[in-house]
Amino acid sequence: MTLPSQAAIVVIGGGIIGCSTAYHLARDHKADVVLLEQGKLTSGSTWHAAGLVGQLRSSASITRVLKYSVDLYKGLEAETGLATGWKMTGCLRLATNADRWTEYKRLATTAKSFGMDMQLLSPAEVKAMWPLMETGDLVGASWLPTDGQASPSDITQSLAKGARMHGAKLYEDVLVTGFDMTDGRITAVKTNQGDIACDKVVNCAGQWARQVGVMAGINVPLQPVKHQYIITEKIAGLATDAPTLRDPDRRTYFKEEVGGLVMGGYEPNPQAWTTADVPNDWQFRLLDDDYDHFEQHMTQAIARVPALETVGVKQMINGPESFTPDGNFILGVAPECANMFVGAGFNAFGIASGGGAGWVLAQWVVDGEAPLDLWVVDIRRFSSLHRDRQWVCERTLEAYGKHYTIGFPHEEYASGRPRIVSPLYDRLKEQRAVFGSKLGWERPNWFAPNGVEPKDIYSMGRQNWFAAVGDEHRHVREQVGIFDQSSFAKYELSGPDAAKALDWICANDVSKPTGRLIYTQLLNTRGGIEADLTVARLAEEKFYIVTGTGFRTHDASWISDHIGEGLNARLTDVTEDFGTLSLMGPRARDVLAAVTVADVSNAGFPFGHVREIAIAGQIVRALRVTYVGELGWELHVPIAATGEVFDALMAAGKKHGIRPVGYRALESLRLEKGYRAWGSDITPNDTPQEAGLGWAVKLRKNTDFVGRRALEKVGGAPLKKRFAGFTVDDPEIVLLGRETILRNGEPVGYLTSGGYGYTIGRNIGYGYVRNADGVSDDFLISGGYELVVAMERTPAKIHLEPMYDPTAERVKA
């Protein structure tokens, strides 16, 4: 065997993800692609996967990826002549309590929002479909008829054959040993059989993906976890087309295989395999059976399917599976290396995701940007925190343990905390703050009044913080609140070409004079919104950029990747250099005027401006901007002085009723004001015009920018979807997002975010209304609307303007 000396794209790893990516690169893009597998195809974790194929996730794009897998598996055998073992048996998910049943009603609504038919069945209907099951404890079950199962090895071999048929070259027994790199880009893949010069590399190395990444200086935060299941002998009376079964309240799953059952589960006390490197020779090997650890599943499974008590066990499989710290898989371009792409960490969803993940990853590799909103799986959602192997291990084990627990709204992870704290952490804790965690940062979600325990108590209805957050919300509307937003990601872009670089990257016009602040989106080539941030011009050649906590890696890498060739502009991450205090509310100016000699009058410091002012002897970057719809400033303080400045503001604000406020109130305030949240309301799938943000795009200016062509192409054509707000009067209803929007009884879209507006006293939701013939104002206003919430229809009112706006003048005054 002689390896080629060069290829356009090298895929590393011959499991289902690698073979699917190679197949799609060759089939859809006619790419010159070489796949390298250190052992034999399927030899990592693919061969011992259980092979369940489910499709529904809480993200529309990821659900689309999984639906694509099913469509591909249905037709692959006809194309390649190799069987895939695909069986569309459908999937039953069992519910044994009221909270789980509510979760399923919400999931069934989400499924319908995404164009899938999930049905809710009674225990009697479940028993008829699966007679061997004990149903006495059931409330009911959800039923998704298009789910199914596949043979992992067969499907991978079929994809591999398809890849070869379309011109890809696949090589087994080739070990990747390193990379040649120039200026942070890979120029060649080094192997034990010779080197291959290449333009791009796709790391689909499964549980070895972390080690392969390290060779190129990139971090793939994975943890192999021991996952066990058994295969039984034949069971009398088990139908060959029995639906796959998920019994999350008992943490187990079942699927029929050759007349017997495959049964496994997700225990609350999982076992990590190793935090060191996975041995290269660990190909068709398994871990020792651990019946003691598995017994918890066995007990639960027998209670559900009593026939298991007497049937023989043919085989026990104990194999390591790659899991991630948040339970979502990892796709995309590595922030540390612009030509390495990753597809890994599939959390035992690899077979379900394989077809679709290969399709979107191939497109991503060819275009350099994702074809859909794939933020929830984007590798750039991680940060340097995720280089800590021990932290990743702890958080990943917690995520694994939650695999089958009820998904309560607003649930926080508990492990590895506190990790990063602002200088105000102890002060806020004394004020009874209840913290959440975002990208490692502890952030106050709400403040518990005296007599209320300062901790979240999760439920499917209104949670224990509802009234307390209402008080915080009203306080910001009527007096003044202070938010600790030190976790904001902050960068400086400087150099002679900084303005030129931003002019190309930003959709809004940032070529404003020094002292101005601009709200802008960053667009992809489809005109979709890749980021949403503020840019403050500090000097002729220096800009200060502020974005959301969770988007730190993503936005920095997007900006860096799009600074034009040869431009002299340098991006520096200064997140930890500045604490951020947001002073918001009608009395914000009174408080600020009391602690600085600077002129903070409207004439001296207008809205949309940035000034350096002195507070408590410290030079503070003050940005006059709001995300709550009230008069206010973001104060960016040298990090060591954050406590001092906070104390000065609290002392001066005492007579104006100042109090600290948390992120839950921030959310309800922004919902009333109609401000969009990136990642939910605005995403790479949405254009500024569709989102009602066309006013922030410099189309009238004769300068080119990323995404301009795509926006001009659709130009004057009617928009096929538009962002709108909805209110619901029924106080018992809880809106979370993904609820279906009905117009005159017909589904036209779903909510992207939901919550409660305490000033207007109603539930608020936002979402896109779709219509193939165009969505005009008249179309929107003339319809009668309802929302489907947990499978129940409720009347709703549409809003095209902010729901709370008496402050429009006050904010700018």
Side-chain angles (χ1 to χ4, degrees):
M1 174 190 74
T2 313
L3 287 183
S5 58
Q6 62 184 70
I9 302 164
V10 174
V11 177
I12 301 170
I16 190 163
I17 309 299
C19 288
S20 178
T21 304
Y23 168 81
H24 286 94
L25 282 166
R27 187 195 75 178
D28 298 348
H29 307 285
K30 310 294 175 264
D32 165 25
V33 59
V34 165
L35 180 144
L36 306 176
E37 163 54 49
Q38 64 175 358
K40 302 292 179 203
L41 295 181
T42 80
S43 66
S45 48
T46 297
W47 71 277
H48 62 71
L52 277 68
V53 180
Q55 302 161 84
L56 184 63
R57 300 295 278 268
S58 61
S59 148
S61 291
I62 302 305
T63 299
R64 193 173 151 195
V65 166
L66 298 178
K67 275 168 85 170
Y68 175 93
S69 293
V70 165
D71 292 338
L72 179 71
Y73 300 163
K74 278 183 198 167
L76 197 59
E77 183 175 348
E79 182 189 342
T80 65
L82 284 185
T84 59
W86 166 249
K87 285 202 303 190
M88 198 168 85
T89 53
C91 176
L92 285 166
R93 285 179 177 80
L94 309 180
T96 66
N97 58 65
D99 281 343
R100 181 74 70 182
W101 192 236
T102 301
E103 180 181 45
Y104 286 1
K105 287 193 282 191
R106 287 184 179 160
L107 273 174
T109 304
T110 299
K112 287 198 163 53
S113 291
F114 297 167
M116 295 169 76
D117 185 26
M118 180 184 268
Q119 297 153 27
L120 297 175
L121 307 182
S122 68
E125 290 170 306
V126 174
K127 184 78 174 173
M129 290 173 81
W130 232 94
L132 295 177
M133 190 200 314
E134 177 53 57
T135 56
D137 61 337
L138 293 189
V139 179
S142 70
W143 166 241
L144 201 52
T146 52
D147 277 0
Q149 58 190 73
S151 159
S153 295
D154 290 349
I155 223 159
T156 304
Q157 294 293 357
S158 194
L159 285 165
K161 185 175 178 188
R164 289 191 190 99
M165 284 165 60
H166 291 289
K169 301 180 186 75
L170 282 63
Y171 298 93
E172 297 180 314
D173 301 311
V174 179
L175 181 68
V176 172
T177 57
F179 301 99
D180 284 335
M181 300 186 69
T182 308
D183 298 330
R185 290 180 73 88
I186 296 168
T187 54
V189 178
K190 301 167 84 67
T191 82
N192 61 350
Q193 312 271 340
D195 299 353
I196 307 176
C198 62
D199 302 326
K200 294 174 179 176
V201 171
V202 194
N203 176 0
C204 301
Q207 52 199 356
W208 291 273
R210 188 183 70 80
Q211 287 143 252
V212 169
V214 167
M215 297 177 198
I218 78 155
N219 182 39
V220 185
L222 294 180
Q223 176 58 50
V225 179
K226 298 175 181 180
H227 185 75
Q228 297 192 94
Y229 65 86
I230 56 167
I231 305 167
T232 75
E233 302 284 3
K234 285 193 169 158
I235 298 176
L238 181 64
T240 51
D241 61 351
T244 58
L245 200 60
R246 289 183 172 87
D247 188 3
D249 295 325
R250 293 184 182 274
R251 297 178 177 266
T252 50
Y253 61 80
F254 305 82
K255 76 159 190 169
E256 186 279 335
E257 189 163 294
V258 211
L261 279 176
V262 167
M263 185 280 285
Y266 291 87
E267 61 276 14
N269 56 338
Q271 299 172 315
W273 178 33
T274 175
T275 51
D277 285 355
V278 175
N280 286 332
D281 63 355
W282 195 276
Q283 280 141 25
F284 286 109
R285 287 170 58 189
L286 290 168
L287 300 156
D288 292 338
D289 295 346
D290 187 345
Y291 273 104
D292 290 344
H293 191 71
F294 192 72
E295 190 183 356
Q296 56 189 311
H297 294 315
M298 210 63 219
T299 309
Q300 295 288 354
I302 289 167
R304 179 64 65 216
V305 184
L308 281 173
E309 193 158 17
T310 52
V311 73
V313 172
K314 207 163 26 177
Q315 192 183 6
M316 180 171 219
I317 306 273
N318 185 2
E321 294 265 5
S322 271
F323 282 79
T324 63
D326 61 4
N328 284 325
F329 50 86
I330 299 176
L331 287 183
V333 60
E336 307 93 335
C337 173
N339 66 339
M340 180 182 267
F341 295 78
V342 179
F346 280 84
N347 303 288
F349 273 109
I351 309 306
S353 321
W359 159 56
V360 290
L361 190 53
Q363 192 80 47
W364 204 331
V365 170
V366 169
D367 294 345
E369 61 181 44
L372 298 170
D373 166 28
L374 297 171
W375 168 240
V376 294
V377 296
D378 194 317
I379 191 168
R380 293 169 296 184
R381 70 189 188 272
F382 300 118
S383 68
S384 56
L385 156 76
H386 295 89
R387 290 182 176 274
D388 179 337
R389 299 284 306 127
Q390 201 46 50
W391 190 92
V392 165
C393 181
E394 282 174 35
R395 178 58 58 89
T396 302
L397 291 179
E398 185 184 3
Y400 179 103
K402 284 179 189 273
H403 196 87
Y404 275 165
T405 56
I406 292 168
F408 287 110
H410 314 292
E411 197 173 346
E412 295 275 352
Y413 281 99
S415 60
R417 295 178 55 188
R419 175 61 187 228
I420 308 168
V421 297
S422 101
L424 303 182
Y425 181 71
D426 291 328
R427 287 174 175 82
L428 297 176
K429 214 170 178 170
E430 275 170 28
Q431 302 256 8
R432 303 177 58 78
V434 182
F435 290 90
S437 167
K438 190 78 172 240
L439 210 62
W441 285 83
E442 291 292 316
R443 312 189 317 171
N445 276 338
W446 60 287
F447 291 82
N450 286 327
V452 174
E453 192 186 356
K455 70 177 264 199
D456 286 329
I457 299 171
Y458 299 122
S459 79
M460 282 298 185
R462 296 270 178 241
Q463 298 191 353
N464 66 320
W465 43 263
F466 184 75
V469 169
D471 288 343
E472 292 174 36
H473 174 115
R474 281 183 284 275
H475 200 86
V476 175
R477 287 269 180 261
E478 293 163 11
Q479 297 176 58
V480 58
I482 188 164
F483 300 83
D484 179 9
Q485 296 193 282
S486 301
S487 64
F488 269 162
K490 304 168 275 276
Y491 328 103
E492 286 173 1
L493 187 76
S494 50
D497 296 324
K500 197 174 172 186
L502 281 175
D503 211 26
W504 164 246
I505 294 167
C506 298
N508 207 348
D509 183 8
V510 292
S511 59
K512 301 276 201 258
T514 297
R516 288 298 302 277
L517 180 76
I518 302 94
Y519 164 71
T520 183
Q521 282 89 47
L522 314 186
L523 306 183
N524 56 40
T525 57
R526 304 191 312 281
I529 300 169
E530 282 290 341
D532 171 77
L533 39 79
T534 49
V535 177
R537 191 165 201 168
L538 299 181
E540 200 57 30
E541 296 184 1
K542 186 177 183 183
F543 294 83
Y544 184 55
I545 301 169
V546 183
T547 189
T549 307
F551 316 137
R552 179 177 181 176
T553 308
H554 174 275
D555 290 6
S557 109
W558 184 270
I559 293 166
S560 300
D561 288 351
H562 289 83
I563 293 172
E565 279 295 303
L567 290 189
N568 185 353
R570 192 178 72 258
L571 187 75
T572 314
D573 188 320
V574 293
T575 299
E576 272 83 12
D577 295 358
F578 294 92
T580 305
L581 302 173
S582 291
L583 185 69
M584 300 281 157
R587 298 192 189 163
R589 181 175 282 125
D590 300 331
V591 177
L592 195 57
V595 294
T596 183
V597 295
D599 180 359
V600 295
S601 69
N602 194 48
F605 197 153
F607 186 77
H609 282 67
V610 56
R611 299 266 189 279
E612 293 203 322
I613 64 175
I615 302 176
Q618 301 292 333
I619 297 300
V620 171
R621 288 178 182 174
L623 282 58
R624 176 117 185 253
V625 64
T626 176
Y627 190 55
V628 301
E630 294 295 341
L631 170 70
W633 282 264
E634 263 176 35
L635 304 171
H636 293 251
V637 183
I639 194 108
T642 310
E644 240 175 293
V645 171
F646 175 80
D647 293 344
L649 289 165
M650 289 297 283
K654 200 168 184 183
K655 66 177 181 189
H656 302 290
I658 196 168
R659 63 180 280 192
V661 179
Y663 271 82
R664 297 235 164 97
L666 184 80
E667 175 68 6
S668 69
L669 289 158
R670 76 98 189 162
L671 284 169
E672 286 187 337
K673 200 67 182 81
Y675 292 131
R676 282 68 161 153
W678 191 83
S680 51
D681 303 323
I682 49 177
T683 75
N685 289 348
D686 312 305
T687 67
Q689 283 76 359
E690 292 165 341
L693 297 170
W695 55 269
V697 181
K698 56 184 178 217
L699 280 173
R700 283 193 293 279
K701 209 178 160 212
N702 194 21
T703 44
D704 200 9
F705 58 90
V706 183
R708 179 172 189 132
R709 278 184 207 127
L711 297 184
E712 283 176 336
K713 220 173 176 174
V714 291
L719 293 168
K720 291 182 168 49
K721 67 174 195 186
R722 274 180 59 191
F723 191 72
F726 297 89
T727 51
V728 170
D729 291 343
D730 183 346
E732 294 306 303
I733 278 173
V734 177
L735 297 182
L736 299 168
R738 310 289 171 270
E739 295 85 357
T740 311
I741 303 166
L742 302 177
R743 179 185 178 275
N744 299 340
E746 293 298 313
V748 289
Y750 54 87
L751 298 188
T752 50
S753 62
Y756 192 80
Y758 294 91
T759 311
I760 65 168
R762 287 190 193 88
N763 291 294
I764 298 174
Y766 288 99
Y768 289 87
V769 174
R770 294 166 167 78
N771 181 36
D773 297 328
V775 185
S776 61
D777 279 6
D778 187 52
F779 176 86
L780 288 170
I781 296 161
S782 64
Y785 291 90
E786 295 166 288
L787 297 178
V788 184
V789 184
M791 298 299 278
E792 303 279 332
R793 289 158 77 138
T794 184
K797 187 176 170 208
I798 192 166
H799 300 259
L800 303 188
E801 299 295 327
M803 292 157 204
Y804 172 77
D805 215 18
T807 55
E809 299 314 310
R810 200 157 86 195
V811 167
K812 309 231 166 139

